[in-house]
Amino acid sequence: MPLISDDIEGRKDVKPSALHQLPATPSTVHWGYFDPALAPVLRVKSGDLVHAEAVTHHAGDAPDLMMDAAVRKIFTEIPEADRNPGVHIMTGPIWVEGAKPGDMIEVRYLSMTPRFRYGSNLAANWGYLYKEFDEKERVTIYQIDASGNNARAHYAYDFKGKYLTPGKIIECPECDRQKTLEGVRIPVRPHLGTAGVAPDVRGRVSTIPPGLHGGNIDNWRIGAGATMYYPVAVDGALFSIGDPHISQGDGEISGTAIEASLDVVFQIILRRDFHFPSPLLETVDSWIVHGFGDDLDQAMRAASLDMLHLLNEHQGLSRNDSYSLMSVAADFGVTQVVDTRQGVHVRIGRGMFPPKGEKQS
C-alpha cells in the first residue's frame, strides 16, 4: 500500500474543473447533526474547489458584532426543535461524485478568512472545571486586531441561567459587560472545529462527539495549508463543515474555542489508492493521527494504534520499529476534553523519513 504523501508534489497537479460557491443559508445548513439520508446541497467532482461559508452557533453571544442579516436569518428561521441532537451549524452536505464506502476523500484547506472581527468564548456547563467555578457560566468576546494576527478580549459577561439552547441570541445591554484580560494578546489561527462525512448509521448523529467520520475533532491545526483525509462511509461521502474558530488551545478546557464565522476555500479529491481507518491530518511538516474515547486512556490507545498502522502500513516500517519510533519521536497531545468523547492526537514529523525509494545508510 503506498505512503499517503509519497506523491505530494505530483498531487499539486490536480487541477479543479470548477469553483463552487456555497453560502450558508437556512436551506444549505443542517443544525446539530450528520445524517446519511440528508439530501446534498452541492455536487462536486474530484478536484473541484469549494468556497463555503461556515457560521458559528455562538454568533448570538454578541449579535451586534457577530451577525449580519444572512446569519440572523439562519438563527431566526431554523426552529429550535430542529437543532438537535448536537449544537453546530453545518454547511452542506456536499456530494462527491464517484465516492463509495471504502474510499477516502482528501480535503485540502486552502484559506480560512474571518467573516467578522469578533468571536466568542464560553466557560460552559460542559467545561472541564465547571464545578470549580461554582457552576457559573461566562462569555468572553474577543476582537481581532487590525493586523489579523492577534486577538484581544473586548469584554466579558456572566451568563444568566444555564447555556442550553443552541443559537441563543443574547441582546446586550441585558448583559453586564466587564473589562477582562487587558493587555493580553492571543494568536489568531483560524480553523474548523467540526467537519466530516456522513457516518453509515440510520438517523441523525450528533455533531458534538468526534468519531471515525470526523466530526467535532477540535484540532486547531485543521486550518489553511493543512490537508485532511476522511474515510468514506456512504455513497457520495456527504461532506459538511462547521464549528469555525479563530483560535483554540489544545484541550479546549473551558468548553469552547474563540467561536467565529469563517469563509473557507477547500479542494476535495477522491482517493482510492489508500485507506486509513480514522481522520488523518497532513501539515507541511507532519502527519497527525487522531484517537477518540470515553476517557483519555481509550483515546490514547486509539491514537497509538492508528499511528502504528500509519508507520507500518504506509511507511513500511515493521511493527517493532514503528513502536520504537513512536516512543522516541512522536508527540502525543490532548486535543479536547469537553466534547463527550475525548480526543488525543499524535504527531510524527515527515522530514525524518528518507525519500521514497531511498534507504538510510
Side-chain angles (χ1 to χ4, degrees):
M1 189 172 290
L3 176 64
I4 293 164
S5 296
D6 274 353
D7 194 28
I8 189 167
E9 295 301 321
R11 286 194 286 117
K12 290 180 180 177
D13 292 333
V14 178
K15 291 183 170 57
S17 59
L19 169 60
H20 304 270
Q21 301 292 332
L22 183 55
T25 70
S27 62
T28 62
V29 303
H30 45 108
W31 199 319
Y33 61 94
F34 294 90
D35 188 341
L38 194 59
V41 300
L42 177 67
R43 292 176 178 263
V44 303
K45 296 180 180 178
S46 178
D48 283 0
L49 294 170
V50 180
H51 180 190
E53 296 175 348
V55 171
T56 176
H57 56 296
H58 280 275
D61 293 351
D64 56 325
L65 303 175
M66 297 174 59
M67 279 187 169
D68 54 22
V71 171
R72 187 175 285 272
K73 192 172 184 180
I74 292 171
F75 278 64
T76 57
E77 291 193 7
I78 297 179
E80 288 186 13
D82 199 26
R83 307 174 188 181
N84 67 84
V87 297
H88 308 99
I89 301 171
M90 305 299 297
T91 306
I94 299 169
W95 177 281
V96 182
E97 186 173 311
K100 298 289 184 182
D103 296 340
M104 303 288 292
I105 60 166
E106 173 185 338
V107 182
R108 302 180 186 177
Y109 293 110
L110 304 177
S111 70
M112 297 194 185
T113 306
R115 182 168 179 154
F116 309 104
R117 290 183 57 200
Y118 297 89
S120 172
N121 167 256
L122 175 66
N125 58 80
W126 58 89
Y128 194 67
L129 298 179
Y130 176 56
K131 291 184 178 179
E132 301 292 327
F133 287 85
D134 299 322
E135 300 188 355
K136 182 182 71 175
E137 296 180 86
R138 181 175 173 86
V139 174
T140 303
I141 302 301
Y142 288 85
Q143 179 180 5
I144 301 174
D145 290 341
S147 68
N149 295 323
N150 295 289
R152 60 181 175 83
H154 190 46
Y155 63 84
Y157 62 88
D158 293 335
F159 183 77
K160 310 300 182 185
K162 202 166 188 178
Y163 201 112
L164 297 175
T165 303
K168 185 175 180 62
I169 298 178
I170 303 165
E171 298 288 358
C172 288
E174 291 179 10
C175 63
D176 178 20
R177 298 185 179 189
Q178 305 162 29
K179 291 183 178 180
T180 183
L181 288 171
E182 293 185 81
V184 176
R185 294 292 183 268
I186 299 96
V188 168
R189 42 196 190 196
H191 62 279
L192 292 176
T194 306
V197 297
D200 185 16
V201 298
R202 180 176 294 182
R204 295 184 174 189
V205 172
S206 172
T207 57
I208 295 174
L212 301 183
H213 64 292
N216 194 20
I217 296 175
D218 276 332
N219 188 336
W220 62 262
R221 300 158 187 86
I222 305 175
T227 297
M228 280 291 290
Y229 301 89
Y230 302 93
V232 175
V234 300
D235 287 352
L238 295 177
F239 178 69
S240 300
I241 67 168
D243 190 24
H245 302 162
I246 57 170
S247 200
Q248 181 200 304
D250 286 334
E252 201 185 21
I253 192 168
S254 84
T256 78
I258 301 180
E259 314 282 324
S261 299
L262 297 174
D263 293 337
V264 184
V265 177
F266 53 92
Q267 185 179 28
I268 300 180
I269 298 168
L270 180 60
R271 299 290 298 272
R272 293 196 172 111
D273 56 324
F274 80 99
H275 182 74
F276 199 74
S278 59
L280 175 65
L281 173 60
E282 180 182 66
T283 68
V284 66
D285 60 0
S286 304
W287 292 298
I288 301 175
V289 169
H290 300 91
F292 315 111
D294 293 335
D295 57 36
L296 288 177
D297 285 340
Q298 291 182 10
M300 180 75 174
R301 181 172 179 80
S304 302
L305 289 172
D306 279 2
M307 177 55 78
L308 185 68
H309 175 88
L310 178 75
L311 296 174
N312 179 221
E313 295 292 328
H314 296 283
Q315 186 60 44
L317 303 182
S318 71
R319 284 174 59 83
N320 287 331
D321 288 349
S322 299
Y323 193 28
S324 176
L325 184 63
M326 287 165 59
S327 192
V328 301
D331 294 318
F332 289 79
V334 176
T335 323
Q336 55 74 29
V337 292
V338 294
D339 294 334
T340 306
R341 190 173 296 135
Q342 298 184 353
V344 165
H345 58 270
V346 51
R347 183 193 70 83
I348 193 83
R350 289 167 44 197
M352 70 179 71
F353 301 101
K356 194 67 174 175
E358 294 185 12
K359 294 184 178 180
Q360 294 176 321
S361 59

